[in-house]
Amino acid sequence: MLSLDLWEKAAQFHGHKCPGLAMGFKACEGAIEELGLSADGASSVDEELVCIVENDACGVDAVQALLSCTYGKGNLIPRLRGKMAFSFFTRENGRGVRLCLKPGCGSNLDRAAFQEYLISTPYDQLFDVKVPPYGLPERARLFKSERCAVCGEVTAEYALRIQNGKPVCADCYDAYEREGF
Ligand SMILES: [Zn+2]
Ligand SMILES: [Zn+2]
C-alpha cells in the first residue's frame, strides 16, 4: 500500500482530507500496482502516463498530486460519466487499467470512518479492476487557429464551426437544433 506521506501530499494539494480524496488516493495505488509504476511519488515523464477521469470530484486531485497527470500537460483527460472510475494508460507499452469503485463500498460507515476505511484497505478490495473499454487517447495535437468571424477571438481549428461560410467559435455558433428530432 502507498505510504501515508503520499496521502499527506495529496491532502496538501487538495486543501483538505475527505473520502473523495481517499478514493483518488487508492486509485493511484491501483495504477501504480497494476501498471508497475514507481511508487516514490511516481511523477510521470511528460505525458507518458495518461489518466482518464470519469468524474470531476475530489479524488481527481490525488491523481494530479501523486501521479503528475495534469490537465495542462494533456495527460489528465475528463470523460465525465458520473462514475467513481479512473482509467490509467502507459503510452510506452500501451497497457491500461480501469478502477471503478465497487457498489455499496463503505455504505454502512459515517464520513470519518469511511475515509479511514478507504485509506487502510487495499485498492483491489475497493475497486473493480478491469481493462478499460476505450483505447488510449491520442497525444495532444497542435492546431492552426483562426479568428472567429463574429467575436474576433482567435480559436483553434478543431473548435471552429462554419456559419454563413465563415469560421465561428462554439460560443458564437447558432446551433441547428433539429438534429436528432
Ligand atoms: Zn475533498
Ligand atoms: Zn466567437
Side-chain angles (χ1 to χ4, degrees):
M1 295 212 290
L2 295 183
S3 93
L4 289 181
D5 289 350
L6 293 177
W7 168 242
E8 294 298 329
K9 185 179 174 185
Q12 199 166 19
F13 179 83
H14 182 51
H16 61 245
K17 293 174 180 171
C18 62
L21 186 69
M23 290 174 198
F25 175 64
K26 300 307 283 196
C28 292
E29 180 182 294
I32 288 166
E33 275 298 314
E34 297 288 328
L35 298 177
L37 310 173
S38 68
D40 58 343
S43 60
S44 82
V45 180
D46 281 323
E47 23 166 347
E48 191 176 294
L49 179 69
V50 178
C51 179
I52 313 290
V53 287
E54 298 187 29
N55 64 80
D56 56 0
C58 295
V60 181
D61 276 356
V63 175
Q64 299 194 80
L66 303 185
L67 298 180
S68 193
C69 293
T70 68
Y71 189 64
K73 280 196 304 221
N75 62 347
L76 177 76
I77 302 174
R79 186 177 193 271
L80 289 181
R81 296 293 183 273
K83 298 183 185 181
M84 193 47 70
F86 304 80
S87 290
F88 297 90
F89 297 88
T90 46
R91 288 205 182 275
E92 202 183 350
N93 56 20
R95 291 178 63 196
V97 65
R98 181 168 177 269
L99 300 129
C100 186
L101 197 72
K102 290 178 187 288
C105 177
S107 54
N108 54 338
L109 302 172
D110 68 24
R111 188 179 163 89
F114 185 33
Q115 182 180 309
E116 192 49 44
Y117 168 75
L118 288 164
I119 291 168
S120 59
T121 304
Y123 74 92
D124 52 354
Q125 292 176 35
L126 303 171
F127 293 100
D128 289 321
V129 180
K130 300 174 184 174
V131 174
Y134 38 80
L136 189 73
E138 71 169 303
R139 285 176 190 274
R141 269 198 257 165
L142 290 175
F143 289 88
K144 286 186 183 168
S145 296
E146 278 204 56
R147 290 185 68 170
C148 168
V150 178
C151 69
E153 293 182 350
V154 175
T155 307
E157 270 182 357
Y158 73 83
L160 288 165
R161 306 280 180 278
I162 300 294
Q163 186 163 274
N164 298 326
K166 291 182 178 136
V168 295
C169 75
D171 285 333
C172 293
Y173 180 65
D174 184 15
Y176 191 44
E177 300 287 7
R178 286 165 58 99
E179 206 175 321
F181 180 77

